[in-house]
């Protein structure tokens, strides 16, 4: 067959040589011929600005003499933002902080004999109540409203006694983290528990959680974890129901399902995670991990999903409807045990705290295993707990340096009120980053993070190890006849994630 070269002329012809050549210019000012290249440059600049103005650290609540192991955040009312936080430390002390003012409001020096393991706040009742459990196997209920009223009264009294001269004013501002009350004044306030009861047959109570609030419920119920799981009424000193789970070891954490109050998710010391049904007093579903799970929490936006923090340096998200298939996604990035996990109120992201001194934030709907951001400081070591505020704008963490730190959820978000033009510009940059997030230049800027040198070297070695495992897996599957006959309809999970899940029990 002979190939002929022909001349292809333009379909647009001019009637006379003097006629102007056709132009593709559009007079519409809303359409620009270089719109996409120009937006790409703006997206790259927006990614650079986001990293340049990243200042996640807000403040530091200092004063504990031991590590704060648990935090409980609540607001002035059900509709308000998280303005107050209660912290529990290993020396048996409970402190009440005002987040907005960054000041200490109240403290109980010897709330429990030993570690205060967990706290939870009931702010929906007529008076705000604080529930605490400790190493002494005691369950105590405290009236937070009295604490706050006593603080306001003592604060007004101490302020009226101060001199008005500049020297005394400066001295009062410098006393104990910009407070006008000293620690001795706060601790001298009378604080006695409303209820104090001991959990029989328990050597140690490790966790407490309140049941979801229901409109028809007259009395709030709560569950405690220890040698067994117990259900309590807020007005009774004796548990109304006790579940001795023979298949599980000591229960570490227990959480209520946000929509099904009769379902409890528990983690135990024998590396098991179980869904417990209180109606039938039996285990509905149970599976085992390769290492121990330190924390568990449900997604408030999608209650069928829950996440666990594991000792194998990862966090896992499961679907309660198909637990037998293993974790839906594995979240990596930590270089030591993950100690705590908590979802934002909207359920679109969650935060993890690890023994490597890092706080990582993950997007829920993102299929990427890597966190979108990580926070750390030079002095922060072994973060034991992390919590979102009720408005989802701040994150609180407690670490081994006896401090509680407050972080912004969005590292580059300004704290001041923005004008209309500034807010529109910020929204435009956010939309640009979302539109061009898959472009290499933008993705490299957004995914870049500053971590300590030891963490970076460990992550590099871990990635090399996982790449070698993936190559080995491909070579094995190439000559495996059984795998060739299977139909890969579902997304295949990596081997290093499947090895951590030991299967449904």
């Amino acid at each position: 067959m002979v190939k002929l070269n022909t001349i292809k002329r333009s379909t647009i012809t001019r009637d006379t040589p003097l006629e102007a050549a056709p132009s593709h210019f559009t007079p519409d000012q809303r359409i620009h011929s270089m719109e996409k290249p120009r937006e790409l440059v703006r997206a790259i600049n927006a990614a650079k600005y986001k990293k340049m103005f990243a200042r996640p650290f807000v403040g530091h609540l200092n004063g504990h003499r031991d590590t704060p192991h648990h935090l409980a955040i609540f607001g002035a009312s059900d509709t308000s933002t998280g303005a107050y936080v209660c912290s529990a430390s290993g020396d048996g002390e409970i402190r009440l902080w005002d987040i907005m003012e960054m000041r200490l409001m109240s403290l109980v020096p010897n709330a429990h004999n030993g570690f205060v393991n967990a706290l939870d706040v009931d702010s929906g009742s007529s008076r705000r109540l604080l529930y605490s459990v400790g190493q002494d196997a005691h369950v105590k209920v405290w009236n937070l409203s009295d604490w706050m009223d006593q603080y306001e009264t003592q604060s007004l009294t101490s302020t009226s006694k101060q001199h008005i001269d500049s020297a005394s004013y400066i001295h009062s501002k410098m006393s104990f983290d910009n407070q006008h009350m000293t620690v001795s004044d706060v601790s001298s306030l009378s604080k006695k528990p409303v209820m104090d009861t001991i959990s029989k047959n328990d050597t140690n109570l490790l966790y407490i959680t309140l049941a979801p609030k229901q409109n028809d419920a007259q009395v709030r119920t709560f569950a405690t974890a220890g040698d067994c799981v117990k259900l309590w009424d807020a007005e009774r000193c004796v548990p109304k129901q006790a579940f001795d789970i023979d298949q599980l070891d000591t229960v570490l954490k227990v959480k209520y399902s946000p929509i099904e109050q009769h379902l409890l998710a528990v983690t135990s010391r024998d590396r098991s995670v179980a869904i417990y049904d209180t109606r039938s007093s039996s285990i509905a579903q149970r599976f085992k991990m390769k290492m121990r799970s330190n924390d568990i929490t449900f997604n408030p936006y999608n209650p069928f999903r829950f996440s666990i923090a594991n000792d194998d340096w990862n966090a896992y998200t499961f679907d309660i409807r198909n637990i037998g298939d293993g974790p839906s996604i594995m979240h990596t990035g930590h270089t030591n045990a993950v100690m705590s996990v908590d979802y934002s109120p909207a359920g679109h992201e969650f935060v993890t705290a690890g023994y490597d001194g890092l706080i990582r934030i993950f997007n829920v709907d993102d299929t990427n295993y890597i966190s979108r951001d990580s926070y750390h400081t030079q002095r922060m070591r072994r973060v034991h707990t992390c919590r979102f505020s009720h408005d989802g704008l701040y994150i609180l963490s407690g670490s081994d340096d006896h401090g509680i730190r407050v972080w912004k959820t969005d590292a580059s978000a300004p704290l001041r009120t923005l004008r209309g033009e500034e807010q529109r510009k910020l929204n435009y940059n956010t939309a640009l980053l979302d539109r061009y997030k898959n472009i290499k230049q933008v993705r490299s800027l957004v995914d870049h993070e500053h971590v300590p040198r030891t963490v970076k070297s460990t992550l590099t070695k871990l990635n090399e190890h996982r790449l070698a495992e993936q190559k080995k897996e491909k070579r094995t599957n190439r000559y495996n006849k059984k795998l060739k006959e299977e139909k890969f309809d579902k997304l295949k999970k990596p081997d290093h994630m499947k090895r951590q899940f030991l299967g449904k029990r």
Side-chain angles (χ1 to χ4, degrees):
M1 184 176 180
V2 181
K3 184 177 180 180
L4 301 177
N5 294 327
T6 59
I7 300 175
K8 184 178 180 181
R9 299 184 181 277
S10 176
T11 57
I12 302 176
T13 58
R14 292 181 293 176
D15 296 337
T16 62
L18 300 178
E19 186 179 353
S23 176
H24 299 285
F25 174 75
T26 174
D28 193 352
Q29 297 296 329
R30 295 173 298 178
I31 303 176
H32 197 274
S33 59
M34 302 292 288
E35 179 183 4
K36 288 188 176 180
R38 186 170 59 176
E39 282 190 347
L40 178 59
V41 174
R42 291 177 179 175
I44 294 174
N45 291 335
K48 293 179 180 178
Y49 293 150
K50 194 175 182 65
K51 292 297 181 180
M52 289 170 57
F53 295 105
R55 298 292 185 272
F57 183 71
V58 177
H60 186 206
L61 302 176
N62 191 15
H64 273 292
R65 295 171 297 176
D66 206 335
T67 302
H69 290 276
H70 197 83
L71 302 174
I73 302 176
F74 66 99
S77 63
D78 289 343
T79 58
S80 65
T81 59
Y84 306 101
V85 57
C86 291
S87 58
S89 61
D91 58 352
E93 188 177 73
I94 298 177
R95 294 192 175 218
L96 173 63
W97 308 84
D98 188 346
I99 303 177
M100 300 302 175
E101 299 292 337
M102 290 290 177
R103 62 180 180 179
L104 175 67
M105 296 185 65
S106 182
L107 67 91
V108 184
N110 296 313
H112 287 269
N113 185 15
F115 277 71
V116 183
N117 291 324
L119 302 172
D120 207 349
V121 177
D122 180 13
S123 58
S125 58
S126 58
R127 53 179 183 173
R128 290 180 289 272
L129 299 177
L130 173 67
Y131 296 80
S132 66
V133 294
Q135 195 176 8
D136 53 359
H138 277 257
V139 180
K140 295 186 179 182
V141 183
W142 313 82
N143 190 352
L144 291 178
S145 301
D146 292 344
W147 293 9
M148 300 171 72
D149 294 340
Q150 292 177 8
Y151 173 78
E152 295 297 336
T153 304
Q154 186 73 12
S155 176
L156 294 174
T157 305
S158 61
T159 305
S160 62
K161 293 180 180 180
Q162 291 181 358
H163 297 289
I164 309 179
D165 59 329
S166 58
S168 62
Y169 177 78
I170 294 175
H171 177 72
S172 65
K173 286 293 181 182
M174 293 177 62
S175 62
F176 198 73
D177 293 346
N178 298 333
Q179 304 168 42
H180 51 263
M181 291 182 62
T182 61
V183 178
S184 59
D185 293 335
V186 174
S187 60
S188 64
L189 302 178
S190 60
K191 309 172 193 64
K192 294 182 179 180
V194 178
M195 184 184 78
D196 183 5
T197 181
I198 187 170
S199 179
K200 295 182 180 180
N201 302 325
D202 276 325
T203 57
N204 188 5
L205 288 180
L206 298 175
Y207 203 78
I208 184 172
T209 180
L210 285 169
K213 185 180 179 182
Q214 294 184 352
N215 297 329
D216 56 347
Q218 300 295 332
V219 181
R220 291 294 294 272
T221 61
F222 60 92
T224 58
D227 295 336
C228 62
V229 178
K230 294 182 179 180
L231 299 184
W232 305 69
D233 275 338
E235 296 181 355
R236 296 182 60 184
C237 297
V238 180
K240 64 177 183 179
Q241 200 171 1
F243 309 107
D244 190 6
I245 309 176
D246 297 333
Q247 300 93 334
L248 301 179
D249 202 346
T250 303
V251 179
L252 300 177
K253 295 292 173 68
V254 56
K255 288 289 180 68
Y256 275 98
S257 172
I259 55 174
E260 299 290 345
Q261 189 175 356
H262 60 274
L263 291 182
L264 289 170
V266 300
T267 63
S268 63
R269 203 182 297 274
D270 63 350
R271 302 167 294 151
S272 295
V273 179
I275 305 297
Y276 199 75
D277 193 347
T278 59
R279 297 175 300 181
S280 60
S281 300
S282 61
I283 295 178
Q285 298 190 60
R286 175 174 174 252
F287 62 91
K288 206 165 189 177
M289 301 294 292
K290 192 174 181 180
M291 301 187 74
R292 189 181 68 179
S293 298
N294 298 312
D295 199 3
I296 186 170
T297 183
F298 281 91
N299 188 337
Y301 181 75
N302 186 5
F304 293 108
R305 288 179 171 267
F306 63 92
S307 297
I308 61 174
N310 202 269
D311 267 347
D312 61 357
W313 307 1
N314 302 315
Y316 299 91
T317 299
F318 290 84
D319 195 323
I320 198 173
R321 295 165 292 187
N322 49 7
I323 289 181
D325 296 339
S328 303
I329 188 171
M330 179 181 68
H331 312 277
T332 64
H334 285 283
T335 59
N336 212 323
V338 185
M339 302 302 297
S340 180
V341 59
D342 187 45
Y343 274 93
S344 64
H348 300 314
E349 55 188 7
F350 67 91
V351 60
T352 60
Y355 238 48
D356 54 356
L358 289 180
I359 298 171
R360 291 190 174 272
I361 305 173
F362 296 87
N363 291 325
V364 173
D365 298 330
D366 195 359
T367 57
N368 192 3
Y369 294 174
I370 305 174
S371 62
R372 71 163 178 85
D373 213 340
S374 61
Y375 301 155
H376 71 280
T377 62
Q378 190 174 4
R379 294 183 58 188
M380 189 166 65
R381 295 289 185 275
R382 295 180 179 178
V383 188
H384 288 264
T385 180
C386 58
R387 289 292 179 268
F388 268 99
S389 62
H390 287 182
D391 55 2
L393 299 179
Y394 300 97
I395 297 172
L396 280 79
S397 65
S399 53
D400 255 359
D401 60 343
H402 306 174
I404 302 171
R405 289 176 173 81
V406 184
W407 312 83
K408 291 187 292 185
T409 305
D410 187 359
S412 59
L415 293 176
R416 61 183 178 86
T417 304
L418 299 179
R419 301 193 303 269
E421 296 180 358
E422 294 176 332
Q423 187 62 47
R424 285 192 293 270
K425 179 64 175 177
L426 187 63
N427 296 338
Y428 178 66
N429 288 340
T430 304
L432 285 176
L433 291 176
D434 184 64
R435 182 176 182 181
Y436 294 96
K437 60 183 178 182
N438 294 324
I439 303 299
K440 183 179 179 180
Q441 296 94 323
V442 179
R443 186 173 66 250
S444 62
L445 291 171
V446 173
D447 293 344
H448 180 71
E449 61 178 3
H450 292 279
V451 295
R453 185 177 300 176
T454 55
V455 175
K456 186 175 181 180
S457 61
T458 305
L459 287 176
T460 303
K461 295 178 182 178
L462 187 63
N463 291 333
E464 293 176 356
H465 179 65
R466 285 178 177 171
L467 288 175
E469 287 183 346
Q470 291 177 5
K471 290 181 181 179
K472 182 180 179 180
E473 180 186 359
K474 289 181 180 179
R475 290 194 299 267
T476 304
N477 297 342
R478 185 182 303 173
Y479 302 102
N480 195 336
K481 295 181 180 181
K482 293 182 180 180
L483 291 176
K484 291 181 180 180
E485 297 174 358
E486 292 179 358
K487 296 179 180 180
F488 296 96
D489 296 332
K490 298 181 179 180
L491 179 64
K492 187 180 178 183
K493 298 177 182 179
D495 270 4
H496 58 267
M497 182 170 70
K498 292 187 292 185
R499 278 194 293 269
Q500 304 301 326
F501 180 73
L502 298 183
K504 191 175 179 181
R505 301 289 174 176

